[in-house]
């Protein structure tokens, strides 16, 4: 999933927490799709909407200082709610960066977690 847009209050600066800002997230995950490919049954895979809502709950939830924490918590939430997912990679970026010149499109962090 690419380009999921959320509003959140993450950041170390007081204005980031007070005013909030836009975050954009991309997610990829690994899952065995053989059964779903044969049965054409949603129960044999993972709903994109459910994964979207898991990521949304983290990014629009309680604030964190660092994007690293936001991405790591998003990965943890997805893995906790979806046992069929073997690994997940989430890229979270800010589109407005206080203290960074307008020469930068975005800043972001990518975190990958897998079942051990």
């Amino acid at each position: 999933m690419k380009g999921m847009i959320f509003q959140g209050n993450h950041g170390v600066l007081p204005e980031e927490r007070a005013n909030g800002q836009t975050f954009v997230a991309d997610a990829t995950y690994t899952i065995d799709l053989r059964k779903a490919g044969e049965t054409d049954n949603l129960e044999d895979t993972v709903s994109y909407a459910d994964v979207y809502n898991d990521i949304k709950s983290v990014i629009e939830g309680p604030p964190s200082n660092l994007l690293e924490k936001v991405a790591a918590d998003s990965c943890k939430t997805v893995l906790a709610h979806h046992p069929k997912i073997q690994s997940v990679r989430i890229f979270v970026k800010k589109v407005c960066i206080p203290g960074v010149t307008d020469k930068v499109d975005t800043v972001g962090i990518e975190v990958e977690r897998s079942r051990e």
Side-chain angles (χ1 to χ4, degrees):
M1 294 185 292
K2 288 190 163 210
M4 296 176 282
I5 300 171
F6 305 106
Q7 296 299 311
N9 294 77
H10 309 287
V12 295
L13 300 176
E15 61 266 26
E16 291 179 292
R17 291 191 172 232
N19 302 329
Q21 60 189 303
T22 301
F23 294 86
V24 179
D26 300 333
T28 58
Y29 48 89
T30 305
I31 183 172
D32 184 344
L33 297 172
R34 287 177 285 194
K35 188 171 181 183
E38 293 172 7
T39 65
D40 196 26
N41 188 338
L42 182 59
E43 292 176 10
D44 294 326
T45 189
V46 173
S47 166
Y48 305 131
D50 292 344
V51 174
Y52 171 90
N53 285 322
D54 287 338
I55 296 167
K56 178 181 180 177
S57 74
V58 173
I59 296 178
E60 293 189 349
S64 297
N65 289 326
L66 303 177
L67 285 179
E68 289 85 344
K69 174 93 166 111
V70 175
D73 285 352
S74 296
C75 287
K76 279 193 258 181
T77 300
V78 168
L79 288 173
H81 291 166
H82 306 285
K84 290 181 174 107
I85 293 179
Q86 299 157 353
S87 66
V88 61
R89 178 182 298 153
I90 297 180
F91 180 57
V92 179
K93 55 190 168 186
K94 294 181 180 184
V95 295
C96 178
I97 309 104
V100 176
T101 68
D102 59 356
K103 303 279 183 197
V104 177
D105 288 337
T106 61
V107 296
I109 189 76
E110 183 176 68
V111 171
E112 182 174 3
R113 297 289 185 266
S114 59
R115 300 194 183 279
E116 310 221 19

